[in-house]
Amino acid sequence: MLYSVTALNHQGINGTAQLSNGKPVPTSHPLNDQPGFNPEELLALAWSTCLNATIEALLEARGLSTKSAVSVTVDLVKEPEQAGYYFQVLGQASIQGLSLDEAQAIVQEADQRCPVSKLLAQAKTVTLETVSWTDPIDLGE
């Protein structure tokens, strides 16, 4: 084992979760303006970070020093006529300076190697696309 962490949440969606490494993680419902992270945000961050790190490792292994970007959108959707909800997840990956076919080959390989991608692999509501490179926009602006 290379790394292990445990998360404990005993305050629900509004409060603070605790990681075994001592880091507190404030949590907040996605439909309020309180500080904190919600599951949608954490899932988007986890997959975009893990998949892009895997793409970067594959690029480095090929001797390429180009940029890559991964955007993940997570929508919370109410199931029709049921009491539940589900996440509709769209990942979009791009690599600067490569053709769409070349980028797609690397993104597909990264998707097979990324631990978060492996967790999401058989989910019916998860899609990954390779898109043409454009400079990533700052979503905070």
Side-chain angles (χ1 to χ4, degrees):
M1 173 181 48
L2 296 174
Y3 179 77
S4 176
V5 67
T6 301
L8 171 64
N9 182 315
H10 60 86
Q11 296 180 353
I13 194 73
N14 294 304
T16 302
Q18 188 69 37
L19 297 175
S20 57
N21 58 18
K23 296 177 187 174
V25 180
T27 59
S28 178
H29 192 283
L31 301 180
N32 72 32
D33 59 356
Q34 300 299 311
F37 300 97
N38 57 61
E40 296 83 354
E41 293 168 328
L42 295 169
L43 177 57
L45 283 168
W47 195 26
S48 65
T49 300
C50 187
L51 185 58
N52 199 39
T54 307
I55 291 169
E56 288 176 342
L58 291 172
L59 291 170
E60 183 179 329
R62 288 167 169 77
L64 300 171
S65 59
T66 187
K67 295 179 185 178
S68 61
V70 175
S71 167
V72 174
T73 300
V74 178
D75 295 325
L76 177 61
V77 180
K78 183 161 180 36
E79 294 183 78
E81 300 181 28
Q82 294 186 15
Y85 298 86
Y86 67 91
F87 292 147
Q88 184 69 50
V89 183
L90 172 62
Q92 293 183 312
S94 61
I95 303 173
Q96 183 182 39
L98 297 184
S99 72
L100 197 53
D101 288 341
E102 293 169 320
Q104 186 167 1
I106 292 172
V107 169
Q108 287 177 348
E109 184 178 351
D111 190 43
Q112 296 298 312
R113 294 182 180 205
C114 167
V116 177
S117 290
K118 290 177 183 180
L119 284 172
L120 301 173
Q122 300 303 316
K124 295 176 184 175
T125 62
V126 175
T127 303
L128 176 60
E129 302 172 344
T130 303
V131 297
S132 298
W133 174 264
T134 57
D135 283 324
I137 52 174
D138 182 358
L139 297 176
E141 292 183 351

